[in-house]
Amino acid sequence: MAKYLANRYNGLFVPEYAREYMENLNRPYTYEDVESIARHQIEQLAGLTGEAGPIAKRSDSEAVQQPKAVFFDTELIITKVWFEHKYGQCPEWLVKALHDYPMDVYLLCYPDLPWVPDPVRENPDIRMELFNRYESEIQTLNIPYYIIRHST
């Protein structure tokens, strides 16, 4: 959905880095791996705010200028909930980053599509619990959000 919206509104699409990271990992992931993912996400956010330069390129030679809209496939709330669910804790620096790099709006996908397994997906039986935790985090940050449901 994020890729579609970025194309539709001539924005920048930021793919899910955790997927890329996990697909290239030849062992079970660790707390330190999730930290690496979170740090990369923060670098992406800092890059978009001008603190670390552009985060993406339209081609190998053309840097992206500040886009009108940026569509993240996933971001720090997902990582925070992942830390808490998997390890029972979350680094304080990640919590701080959630406040330092707030989103303008969230599109929160309701878990009403069938589960499609793949090698890096987890938790098919607790999708509603995770959805509720994501929504709670967004509400805590007091950021506008919309719940996206599958239309029939």
Side-chain angles (χ1 to χ4, degrees):
M1 180 172 61
K3 188 174 187 177
Y4 169 82
L5 291 170
N7 287 333
R8 172 72 172 86
Y9 294 101
N10 198 27
L12 176 64
F13 168 62
V14 179
E16 179 184 7
Y17 179 68
R19 172 169 288 283
E20 175 187 334
Y21 186 98
M22 295 299 186
E23 286 175 343
N24 292 304
L25 201 60
N26 294 321
R27 59 175 169 71
Y29 67 88
T30 65
Y31 185 91
E32 290 76 22
D33 290 316
V34 182
E35 283 185 313
S36 292
I37 290 165
R39 289 186 193 286
H40 181 84
Q41 291 172 315
I42 292 167
E43 288 172 10
Q44 289 178 315
L45 290 164
L48 284 170
T49 60
E51 296 176 27
I55 64 160
K57 297 182 177 197
R58 294 200 192 274
S59 70
D60 288 338
S61 62
E62 179 187 355
V64 171
Q65 300 303 314
Q66 195 71 355
K68 284 191 252 182
V70 180
F71 297 88
F72 291 88
D73 183 87
T74 191
E75 58 79 66
L76 294 175
I77 283 179
I78 303 297
T79 308
K80 179 181 187 285
V81 169
W82 190 4
F83 265 118
E84 292 169 346
H85 171 73
K86 185 80 175 177
Y87 301 105
Q89 62 182 339
C90 178
E92 192 57 40
W93 52 262
L94 189 150
V95 175
K96 181 181 180 313
L98 274 166
H99 294 276
D100 291 347
Y101 302 104
M103 298 288 114
D104 293 323
V105 66
Y106 282 95
L107 302 177
L108 181 60
C109 295
Y110 192 82
D112 57 357
L113 290 172
W115 173 265
V116 178
D118 73 36
V120 299
R121 295 191 78 201
E122 298 180 35
N123 304 316
D125 299 325
I126 61 167
R127 294 167 66 200
M128 196 67 211
E129 175 189 333
L130 292 172
F131 170 86
N132 290 334
R133 289 176 74 177
Y134 302 145
E135 184 176 29
S136 177
E137 291 292 334
I138 293 167
Q139 291 170 342
T140 297
L141 291 169
N142 200 29
I143 294 176
Y145 70 100
Y146 299 91
I147 296 174
I148 308 300
R149 293 180 182 264
H150 174 67
S151 62
T152 55

